[in-house]
Amino acid sequence: MTAPLPLSRDRILQCALAVADRDGLDATSLRRVATELSVHVTSLYNHVPTKEALLDGVVEELLGSAALPLGDVTWQEWVRVFVDEIAALAKTHPGSFAVLLRRPVQGARATATFESGLAAFQRAGLADRECFAAVKSVALSVVGCCMEQAYAGAGGEELRTDVESLSWQDFPVLHQVTQTADDVDIVATLREVLVAGLAEQVRAARSANR
């Protein structure tokens, strides 16, 4: 008979991520995870004492599973890789993706990419508050951009404006552009808009420091 796997924080968090992906964040509780692991809920408390700590761990697991930029990278590389990897998480983990808007990032593993981004913008010449604003803006932009996709991927209703009910006379451009909307890569557009906008900030900072 195979001995049961020992209970550990990593095992608990991996189970919580699986529950969130399958059944959504609202279903991801200590009691539910304990049931999945066939243990009493009090067995989890030494590893994960509260639901908030459990969801913080889901954030850690989620970001830890992505190939997010680390170390000495240029700020442009950080933005492009970060945006692409977060967008990939929305596809592979639609059920748990919303946790990125509901809980803060905690722990060294999940935070390492943000240290890399801050350092990259600092090397580019931005002041500390500008570095924070740049990294925070990129993170919130891509998570917000991908929420619709994650919602649909988790079984939610596809969110679409009812353009057909609007008159062509009053909304001619909207009718025209929505005919090709399915071919638009929103993530790629966002990525390059962020790079272009931040490039202007970097140029302004370097000019001011001359």
Side-chain angles (χ1 to χ4, degrees):
M1 183 176 178
T2 304
L5 292 173
L7 197 61
S8 67
R9 183 173 182 272
D10 283 347
R11 188 172 168 224
I12 293 167
L13 297 183
Q14 288 167 13
C15 179
L17 178 61
V19 170
D21 277 339
R22 186 181 68 235
D23 302 318
L25 287 176
D26 291 337
T28 309
S29 64
L30 290 168
R31 191 170 299 279
R32 179 64 177 278
V33 170
T35 299
E36 293 280 329
L37 294 174
S38 300
V39 299
H40 194 274
V41 66
T42 56
S43 302
L44 307 184
Y45 293 160
N46 286 336
H47 305 281
V48 186
T50 64
K51 180 173 181 177
E52 289 73 22
L54 185 71
L55 293 181
D56 289 346
V58 171
V59 173
E60 185 180 346
E61 287 295 310
L62 198 59
L63 295 182
S65 70
L68 294 169
L70 300 171
D72 293 337
V73 295
T74 66
W75 70 263
Q76 297 96 327
E77 181 182 359
W78 185 85
V79 171
R80 289 190 170 106
V81 175
F82 184 90
V83 168
D84 286 346
E85 287 298 315
I86 295 297
L89 286 179
K91 292 181 179 179
T92 56
H93 296 279
S96 59
F97 188 78
V99 76
L100 297 179
L101 285 178
R102 289 172 57 171
R103 295 301 303 168
V105 174
Q106 307 283 12
R109 183 171 62 144
T111 310
T113 188
F114 299 102
E115 174 71 12
S116 176
L118 291 168
F121 282 108
Q122 191 177 67
R123 287 192 301 272
L126 295 190
D128 289 349
R129 62 185 298 174
E130 294 170 330
C131 293
F132 177 83
V135 168
K136 189 77 170 181
S137 296
V138 171
L140 289 178
S141 295
V142 67
V143 171
C145 175
C146 294
M147 276 304 304
E148 183 179 49
Q149 180 186 58
Y151 177 72
E157 180 182 354
E158 186 177 9
L159 304 177
R160 283 183 177 269
T161 300
D162 183 10
V163 177
E164 291 303 317
S165 66
L166 304 172
S167 72
W168 272 83
Q169 181 177 354
D170 293 333
F171 298 93
V173 179
L174 182 59
H175 275 280
Q176 181 180 346
V177 300
T178 52
Q179 292 179 2
T180 59
D182 290 339
D183 298 328
V184 175
D185 188 338
I186 300 297
V187 171
T189 300
L190 173 66
R191 182 182 63 229
E192 297 312 314
V193 165
L194 288 169
V195 169
L198 289 167
E200 289 301 317
Q201 270 199 294
V202 170
R203 278 193 286 271
R206 287 174 175 172
S207 296
N209 292 330
R210 286 176 183 171

